């Protein structure tokens, strides 16, 4: 396999991520790009599109379709398995998998800040398939605050398996076997003049996911 060229700063793709670059780095590698081609720029879940709208990013990782009028979403470039995040003391912590029906036994988290409500309903369903209410009680702010609360209570967060790469050892990531994986896509501002190298990356990432 030929060596990939080291990019100049003008060739760098500014890619927005939340929580971990683990998932995004898999997308980059699958597209055939060197990790040095990308600058990973974190965004907060309370204001997920603020860095994009401020021009700090070219593109960002999104789960599902945010249905925001000024945001364009690519075809899926990957998938992320579903999981619950719990403290090591939690009754579900040592399970190999759990059902979403069991989630209703514990307090979860509210939709944070400016996060799209339609997407949060897919991340943290308001009800289980059998009609049980999932109690969205706690405020969601930052990842450190989430970790602190999970470590001190029996709350849980319905989330994604990719977070296993960044959470401390006292927080467990337990797969949910009856929720489908989330589609992962790239998003950018509608009408934005994306540089040619960024458009090429999006196209390569989409093509890699179709293989």
């Amino acid at each position: 396999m030929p060596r990939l060229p080291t990019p100049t700063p003008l060739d760098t793709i500014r890619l927005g991520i939340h929580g971990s670059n683990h998932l995004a780095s898999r997308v980059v590698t699958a597209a055939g790009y060197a990790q040095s081609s990308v600058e990973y720029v974190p965004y907060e879940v309370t204001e997920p599109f603020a860095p994009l709208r401020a021009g700090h990013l070219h593109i960002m990782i999104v789960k599902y379709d945010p249905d925001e009028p000024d945001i364009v979403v690519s075809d899926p470039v990957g998938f992320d398995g579903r999981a619950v995040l719990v403290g090591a003391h939690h009754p579900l912590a040592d399970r190999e998998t759990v059902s979403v029906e069991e989630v209703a036994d514990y307090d979860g988290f509210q939709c944070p800040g400016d996060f799209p409500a339609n997407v949060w309903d897919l991340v943290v369903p308001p009800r289980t398939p059998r009609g049980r209410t999932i109690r969205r009680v706690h405020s969601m702010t930052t990842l450190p605050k989430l970790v602190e609360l999970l470590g001190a209570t029996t709350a849980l967060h319905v989330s994604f398996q990719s977070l296993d790469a960044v959470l401390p050892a006292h927080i467990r990531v337990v797969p949910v076997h009856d929720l489908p994986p989330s589609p992962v896509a790239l998003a950018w501002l509608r009408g934005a003049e994306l540089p040619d190298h960024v458009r090429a990356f999006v196209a390569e990432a989409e093509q890699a996911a179709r293989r």
Side-chain angles (χ1 to χ4, degrees):
M1 183 176 179
R3 292 182 61 187
L4 295 170
T6 301
T8 65
L10 288 178
D11 293 330
T12 300
I13 301 162
R14 297 194 305 275
L15 175 57
I17 58 168
H18 172 65
S20 165
N21 69 1
H22 182 70
L23 180 63
S25 68
R26 294 207 311 259
V27 173
V28 170
T29 298
Y33 281 66
Q35 293 298 316
S36 56
S37 303
V38 177
E39 177 188 356
Y40 296 110
V41 182
Y43 63 82
E44 290 294 344
V45 70
T46 51
E47 294 182 300
F49 305 115
L52 188 66
R53 288 168 173 153
H56 301 317
L57 309 174
H58 291 122
I59 52 178
M60 62 185 287
I61 289 282
V62 295
K63 310 282 179 66
Y64 306 108
D65 185 345
D67 196 25
E68 296 279 317
D70 62 338
I71 302 293
V72 181
V73 178
S74 73
D75 293 339
V77 296
F79 291 87
D80 198 357
R82 303 307 311 279
V84 292
L85 313 184
V86 296
H89 62 283
H90 196 281
L92 301 179
D94 294 326
R95 297 274 297 278
E96 290 189 7
T97 69
V98 299
S99 166
V100 68
E101 297 295 337
E102 298 173 272
V103 170
D105 293 333
Y106 305 96
D107 290 342
F109 287 81
Q110 301 169 355
C111 183
D114 294 331
F115 195 90
N118 68 304
V119 175
W120 196 253
D121 283 347
L122 296 169
V123 177
V124 184
R127 293 176 189 79
T128 72
R130 294 181 183 174
R132 299 186 67 196
T133 299
I134 293 180
R135 303 193 300 265
R136 302 191 289 191
V137 173
H138 300 289
S139 296
M140 174 69 74
T141 53
T142 64
L143 191 59
K145 289 291 186 182
L146 171 67
V147 166
E148 181 181 350
L149 196 146
L150 293 177
T153 70
T154 58
L156 57 71
H157 179 42
V158 188
S159 189
F160 304 99
Q161 292 180 22
S162 62
L163 285 176
D164 193 30
V166 294
L167 291 172
H170 71 283
I171 303 299
R172 304 289 169 77
V173 179
V174 185
V176 177
H177 60 255
D178 50 0
L179 285 179
S182 162
V184 177
L186 301 168
W188 59 94
L189 282 182
R190 188 177 302 279
E193 291 295 329
L194 289 182
D196 289 343
H197 70 284
V198 178
R199 290 193 178 277
F201 169 74
V202 172
E204 291 289 348
E206 290 176 326
Q207 184 174 352
R210 290 193 287 266
R211 293 187 189 122

